[in-house]
Amino acid sequence: MKNIFDQNVTAELIERLDKLTPETKQLWGKMSVSKMLAHCNVAYEMVYDNIHKPPTAFMKMVLQLLIKERITNEKPYKKNNPTAPQFIIKYDKDFETEKKRLVAYIEKTQQLGEEYFDGKKSLSLGKLDKTQWNNMFYKHLDHHLTQFGV
């Protein structure tokens, strides 16, 4: 899996984002391109912004036991997988705003580096090592950029 903390990988992801337009159509799924960008931003909002409610202790245990491995391993996501409720974007968003936010989050993550994330707690999954953080961030972005053909 590519390393999201590597400056070259970050540049590659941003280049892929730059190929998107407000009219880019998905190859599968229901999200518009602006909703997809907002959806991808949620993963970063959970790390950097205090705007999402943490799961209950019971739900966190369920997520850690049943979902954590699937989210943080190197196996790519399947098409049309269900998503957590906080990742569902109900209304269209402004394409440029969401794209700028996502680029800023990707750059911030790369600049903070893997040592910042090694052992950092996830809002929903508990403590993750730098490889788990990398896999979670990179494969989610790669999945959705591939979904939109870039």
Side-chain angles (χ1 to χ4, degrees), residues 113-130:
E114 60 189 17
E115 295 309 315
Y116 174 83
F117 285 92
D118 199 25
K120 183 174 178 56
K121 283 188 178 182
S122 158
L123 185 67
S124 302
L125 303 175
K127 192 174 181 181
L128 301 177
D129 64 30
K130 61 187 176 185

Side-chain angles (χ1 to χ4, degrees), residues 13-122:
L13 288 167
I14 294 168
E15 284 176 26
R16 290 170 72 186
L17 284 165
D18 284 341
K19 292 177 183 176
L20 296 170
T21 70
E23 292 78 34
T24 304
K25 299 292 182 208
Q26 72 276 30
L27 302 176
W28 73 84
K30 300 175 186 175
M31 284 189 282
S32 67
V33 68
S34 65
K35 285 182 179 180
M36 177 274 289
L37 294 170
H39 166 89
C40 288
N41 278 324
V42 172
Y44 294 96
E45 290 169 356
M46 290 181 164
V47 174
Y48 299 119
D49 307 323
N50 190 20
I51 61 173
H52 294 280
K53 203 163 95 173
T56 63
F58 175 76
M59 184 52 77
K60 196 172 196 174
M61 182 182 71
V62 169
L63 291 168
Q64 289 175 8
L65 291 173
L66 302 177
I67 306 296
K68 182 177 180 175
E69 173 63 19
R70 280 189 268 168
I71 292 173
T72 62
N73 68 23
E74 292 194 14
K75 188 176 178 183
Y77 293 129
K78 295 178 183 174
K79 295 176 183 176
N80 298 311
N81 268 348
T83 192
Q86 60 268 44
F87 282 83
I88 296 171
I89 307 301
K90 295 180 182 177
Y91 305 104
D92 270 326
K93 301 286 187 171
D94 180 71
F95 173 85
E96 288 301 329
T97 300
E98 295 304 321
K99 182 179 162 189
K100 285 178 188 171
R101 289 180 63 226
L102 186 54
V103 167
Y105 283 135
I106 292 168
E107 289 174 337
K108 180 176 184 174
T109 300
Q110 187 274 317
Q111 289 164 1
L112 287 170
E114 60 189 17
E115 295 309 315
Y116 174 83
F117 285 92
D118 199 25
K120 183 174 178 56
K121 283 188 178 182
S122 158

